[in-house]
Amino acid sequence: MATMVHCGGGWKRLLNNRIYTVSKKQPVVIGWQRYQAQELLPQPDSQQLWQRLSCGAGSKGERYYDWAKVPVNCDRSDGFQRWLLFRRSLEHPEDPRVSYYQVFAKSDTTLETMVQIASKGGGLRSALNLLKTS
């Protein structure tokens, strides 16, 4: 199965994972209940859901953010799962400017792997290499 990853306005193909940015109003379903992505955003004090992870080196060093994921319904799982992935700033954890991603990947995909792939931007070769080694 080819993978489509939305990075910087374009779709990138990656092995068996899909990660793309979505609006905070993206509709998702959990069980029989329909939600918007923003309604599933974990509370800032939910330390068990938020993890501080680097998404790579920038011009001023490592770029750390808080990341969380929430599983959502998946029509045809076959060993795969859908999640909403959230990224928030460390300087302003209460700031409503959170980045939202929708992920479709193998069920055992770690949050760390999702973060590394989501942060690759247009770096298709880097993301492919990451998937080969994870």
Side-chain angles (χ1 to χ4, degrees):
M1 169 194 279
T3 295
M4 302 302 288
V5 178
H6 189 264
C7 300
W11 289 96
K12 305 291 182 186
R13 289 186 179 273
L14 298 178
L15 304 174
N16 289 321
N17 302 304
R18 293 180 193 164
I19 298 178
Y20 53 96
T21 56
V22 295
S23 160
K24 66 183 179 180
K25 294 183 179 185
Q26 173 73 26
V28 295
V29 176
I30 297 178
W32 295 100
Q33 183 67 40
R34 185 177 173 142
Y35 299 93
Q36 288 184 350
Q38 64 188 350
E39 296 173 311
L40 298 172
L41 181 67
Q43 294 300 312
D45 60 350
S46 301
Q47 294 305 319
Q48 72 276 11
L49 295 177
W50 291 103
Q51 292 183 37
R52 186 153 300 161
L53 298 168
S54 170
C55 61
S59 61
K60 298 178 184 177
E62 290 293 313
R63 298 173 299 141
Y64 285 95
Y65 294 92
D66 283 341
W67 297 81
K69 66 178 183 176
V70 173
V72 297
N73 284 13
C74 184
D75 288 340
R76 293 185 222 133
S77 61
D78 297 330
F80 287 81
Q81 175 64 48
R82 274 184 45 202
W83 293 274
L84 284 176
L85 177 65
F86 306 95
R87 183 188 77 193
R88 71 176 181 189
S89 167
L90 295 181
E91 291 83 24
H92 309 286
E94 306 287 334
D95 190 337
R97 288 179 289 168
V98 171
S99 295
Y100 298 83
Y101 302 85
Q102 187 165 292
V103 178
F104 179 76
K106 290 185 178 180
S107 299
D108 62 353
T109 302
T110 64
L111 179 61
E112 292 82 2
T113 299
M114 290 180 199
V115 167
Q116 290 177 4
I117 295 170
S119 65
K120 291 301 175 193
L124 176 59
R125 181 168 296 165
S126 298
L128 282 170
N129 290 335
L130 173 66
L131 284 172
K132 289 178 185 175
T133 60
S134 59

